[in-house]
Amino acid sequence: MVSMCAQENKIPENESLLAARAANKDKRYADAEALMLKLTTSQPELLYPWIELGTAQKGLRKYAEAEHSFKVALGIAPADPKASQDGLILRPDVFADHTTATLSHLAFVSPGAVVTKAGTRTPEFLGVAYSSLGEIYARTGRIPEARAAFDAAASAFPAQAALFRRDETIFFFQEGISDAQLDAAQ
């Protein structure tokens, strides 16, 4: 099994993905964004690169771009932003059960997620994507959307629900939205 993982890490897409993850961790968001823009442009069907791209864009405070990247990862936005200029609105009814949606090229496995031939949107994948959207919505003052996204994260990945609720409370606090902060804390 170790040799299989070592072989997977030699795939060029994995090298870019791992480099972007390291750059995001080191807060070199522009570097991560450049790597993932290249990968998502050449292979938009790969989903985990959209998560790393959204993370980088969120770090750069490019909230509209980050929102789009996370929506692509969730399958609720087209990979080509020009395909939909109407600014997709994330509604609670959009948070369908994506856990069985089969992806053609990617499996999300943490902490060493790599590009593979097939996989599904796991609860962990969904939790990360929805909670990231929740942060974006909280930071941009879209309280109902933020609550819906954090609710979806907690529902999708119950093992981390407490973490998602804590983050929701913190983001509302950081943005000075005290009513939403108190609701999230309760």
Side-chain angles (χ1 to χ4, degrees), residues 8-24 28 31-40 42-43 46 48-49 52-53 113-115:
E8 286 179 342
N9 285 333
K10 294 183 185 212
I11 298 171
E13 293 86 356
N14 287 338
E15 291 173 9
S16 294
L17 186 63
L18 295 172
R21 181 177 300 142
N24 276 332
R28 293 182 293 111
D31 294 343
E33 181 186 39
L35 285 166
M36 292 299 93
L37 280 172
K38 183 177 178 184
L39 187 54
T40 57
S42 67
Q43 296 180 300
L46 300 176
Y48 195 74
E52 288 299 328
L53 175 59
V114 294
V115 178

Side-chain angles (χ1 to χ4, degrees), residues 94-101 121 126 130 156:
V94 174
F95 296 123
D97 179 12
H98 293 280
T99 58
T100 59
R121 285 180 178 98
L126 296 170
Y130 284 127

Side-chain angles (χ1 to χ4, degrees), residues 35 58 63:
L35 285 166
K58 191 172 55 159
Y63 295 127

Side-chain angles (χ1 to χ4, degrees), residues 53-170:
L53 175 59
T55 301
Q57 293 165 329
K58 191 172 55 159
L60 293 168
R61 295 191 169 117
K62 295 181 176 181
Y63 295 127
E65 293 91 339
E67 176 183 0
H68 181 264
S69 295
F70 289 116
K71 285 181 177 181
V72 171
L74 289 166
I76 55 178
D80 180 3
K82 295 176 186 164
S84 176
Q85 296 295 333
D86 59 350
L88 293 170
I89 297 172
L90 195 58
R91 302 181 323 262
D93 61 313
V94 174
F95 296 123
D97 179 12
H98 293 280
T99 58
T100 59
T102 300
L103 311 179
S104 60
H105 293 83
L106 178 81
F108 185 86
V109 180
S110 182
V114 294
V115 178
T116 62
K117 298 292 183 196
T120 60
R121 285 180 178 98
T122 65
E124 183 178 15
F125 181 95
L126 296 170
V128 168
Y130 284 127
S131 67
S132 295
L133 281 173
E135 177 183 353
I136 291 165
Y137 295 139
R139 296 206 182 279
T140 57
R142 296 185 285 176
I143 297 166
E145 292 91 343
R147 287 179 176 157
F150 281 112
D151 288 347
S155 294
F157 193 28
Q160 292 295 320
L163 174 67
F164 299 140
R165 295 299 181 201
R166 180 194 70 122
D167 288 349
E168 180 181 14
T169 303
I170 290 169

